[in-house]
Amino acid sequence: MSYLNIENLEKTYGKEKVIKGFSLQLEQGELAVIIGASGCGKTTLMRILVGLEYADSGKLLLNGKDISDLKPGQREIGMIFQKYSLFPNMTVRENIAYGLRVKKCPKKEIFEKTDEMLEMIHLTEKADAYPSTLSGGQQQRVAFARAMIVRPQILLLDEPFSALDTELKKELREELKRIQRETGLTAIFVTHDREEAMVLANRLFIMHDGKIEQCGKPWDVYNNPKTLYVASFIGACNIIPTEQFKEAAGISPKAEYAVIRNEKILLKEKGYSNPKAVLIPVTVSDAVFCGKTVKYTLSSASGMILKAEMPSQEDVHFQKGDNVTAEIKKENVIGLNH
Ligand SMILES: Nc1ncnc2c1ncn2[C@@H]1O[C@H](COP(=O)(O)OP(=O)(O)OP(=O)(O)O)[C@@H](O)[C@H]1O
Ligand SMILES: [Mg+2]
């Protein structure tokens, strides 16, 4: 049996069924990322796991023990929310120490453990500051330390970095990864940011409409999506009905749709040849420079529209109106049914 077993959870609010037979297994020390669109039930699920909400049916087993009916304080599951939730009238040190004070730990132990946490989040010099004087990123680090000090069996993080700017997000992501590795923390991280999900996940779970639609290693889910929803949610792609994909005759997969990631469509000069690949003469109808990459919109003679994204290089840069060749390697065409 896995460390955490979530079995067939169901939750309805009024007439709306929000969680629909949700199941997930997690091993100890794993960092699982749940990615899903807004409103698919992520926060509701986290609230059920931590005990702020109860499921209508289904089971939660942690370390072999049924915790479905336990109160939040009895579950040893910590949670960090999207919005900063520090106590404004307590200093950083008091915020972090809170969980141990509630547990009535000896003063000396509280002080030492709080020091350790302050060091871990690199905020020792801010111990006596109040939350309102900290930056958003610093506040989330304090929230993290406050949740970690009681050594939860699982830590839940519900979009903890979504209010932060890109650079800070990346920094905190790395910090979380480091601490997770060092402490062997088991955690579930919820996000709707693709890059964040890919970077963090040991295992990635794609949630759609109240349940898991696919799970696996990030690269595997990215390269082998099992549904059209997962394919397009996890990264930009072209979805072409196979009967319209005449250019790929002979190699197009035996499925209703051919799915090709934008970056797997390579632009070559007009007249380029490669007998092993699908080559489609196209006209560039749009080219947008995005810094690291250029995003192209292409149209073929048969009216097919393709989206491509290529690294921006000085020597290859096509422009609107150019006639070029789109090259697609056979192994990069994924066949999927509706
Ligand atoms: N207490 C509640 N009462 C009624 N409906 C609710 C309640 N909480 C959530 N919902 C509904 O459940 C659905 C899922 O909400 P939830 O907050 O779990 O989504 P989410 O995946 O976390 O979205 P986001 O990415 O925007 O945070 C929404 O349609 C929401 O309106
Ligand atoms: Mg949410």
Side-chain angles (χ1 to χ4, degrees):
M1 181 182 281
S2 300
Y3 186 61
L4 174 70
N5 271 281
I6 305 176
E7 291 176 9
N8 223 1
L9 290 188
E10 305 259 338
K11 178 77 183 172
T12 302
Y13 287 121
K15 285 186 184 153
E16 190 190 3
K17 200 167 191 180
V18 177
I19 304 292
K20 303 177 183 172
F22 186 102
S23 298
L24 179 155
Q25 281 85 40
L26 193 63
E27 301 307 328
Q28 193 161 16
E30 252 191 315
L31 176 57
V33 174
I34 299 180
I35 182 168
S38 182
C40 77
K42 304 182 297 295
T43 297
T44 306
L45 174 75
M46 293 295 109
R47 290 174 59 82
I48 292 173
L49 295 184
V50 82
L52 293 170
E53 203 85 60
Y54 291 90
D56 302 331
S57 61
K59 250 190 194 162
L60 292 175
L61 299 168
L62 179 57
N63 224 346
K65 185 173 145 194
D66 189 337
I67 59 161
S68 319
D69 301 321
L70 296 184
K71 295 205 176 73
Q74 303 169 324
R75 295 191 180 199
E76 296 186 63
I77 296 180
M79 181 154 171
I80 298 177
F81 298 87
Q82 177 170 351
K83 297 196 189 82
Y84 319 131
S85 51
L86 300 176
F87 304 117
N89 55 336
M90 291 185 194
T91 64
V92 165
R93 174 178 288 283
E94 287 164 350
N95 262 284
I96 296 175
Y98 181 77
L100 295 183
R101 287 229 315 274
V102 170
K103 282 188 164 182
K104 302 212 178 343
C105 288
K107 276 211 170 114
K108 184 162 174 281
E109 186 187 331
I110 295 180
F111 197 85
E112 284 169 7
K113 286 202 171 149
T114 306
D115 268 351
E116 265 173 43
M117 285 293 153
L118 282 164
E119 223 167 275
M120 181 180 81
I121 58 165
H122 303 310
L123 280 181
T124 303
E125 76 284 5
K126 296 278 185 188
D128 299 320
Y130 283 89
S132 61
T133 67
L134 301 182
S135 73
Q138 289 169 335
Q139 288 185 44
Q140 278 310 62
R141 273 143 72 186
V142 176
F144 181 67
R146 191 180 60 175
M148 284 290 285
I149 200 164
V150 293
R151 302 235 164 254
Q153 296 199 14
I154 296 186
L155 184 64
L156 310 178
L157 303 104
D158 188 4
E159 309 209 31
F161 306 148
S162 62
L164 309 174
D165 67 50
T166 316
E167 282 311 306
L168 192 55
K169 237 182 180 179
K170 280 189 187 160
E171 208 177 287
L172 288 186
R173 223 183 259 162
E174 289 310 316
E175 211 163 312
L176 172 64
K177 256 184 131 168
R178 170 181 67 82
I179 295 169
Q180 191 262 339
R181 268 198 307 265
E182 284 174 12
T183 58
L185 174 71
T186 311
I188 302 181
F189 189 102
V190 164
T191 183
H192 56 242
D193 180 323
R194 292 165 176 171
E195 188 187 324
E196 187 162 86
M198 296 286 172
V199 170
L200 277 175
N202 295 140
R203 222 152 31 112
L204 185 60
F205 296 80
I206 290 84
M207 185 168 180
H208 180 209
D209 198 18
K211 56 181 181 300
I212 297 297
E213 190 150 315
Q214 187 172 344
C215 81
K217 297 277 176 205
W219 62 268
D220 193 29
V221 175
Y222 188 80
N223 292 313
N224 303 301
K226 297 284 181 266
T227 66
L228 291 177
Y229 180 83
V230 171
S232 52
F233 189 74
I234 215 71
C237 59
N238 296 273
I239 299 178
I240 312 163
T242 27
E243 81 263 9
Q244 286 173 27
F245 198 25
K246 302 278 182 276
E247 292 85 349
I251 76 139
S252 73
K254 291 192 177 29
E256 288 172 53
Y257 295 91
V259 175
I260 306 146
R261 293 257 170 248
N262 293 10
E263 73 275 14
K264 301 292 187 192
I265 296 184
L266 308 176
L267 293 198
K268 306 282 181 172
E269 316 296 326
K270 186 179 175 185
Y272 170 85
S273 86
N274 176 359
K276 287 190 188 148
V278 179
L279 300 175
I280 309 172
V282 290
T283 304
V284 175
S285 48
D286 200 19
V288 181
F289 178 70
C290 306
K292 257 188 263 178
T293 62
V294 182
K295 291 183 180 173
Y296 294 100
T297 306
L298 311 161
S299 47
S300 76
S302 67
M304 187 162 62
I305 305 290
L306 295 172
K307 299 271 187 186
E309 183 166 6
M310 300 248 291
S312 46
Q313 297 164 351
E314 278 167 43
D315 52 338
V316 198
H317 190 129
F318 300 104
Q319 290 175 2
K320 190 171 172 175
D322 284 353
N323 292 316
V324 296
T325 304
E327 180 192 43
I328 304 165
K329 304 224 166 81
K330 186 177 175 174
E331 64 270 25
N332 292 328
V333 182
I334 305 160
L336 288 176
N337 292 312
H338 201 71

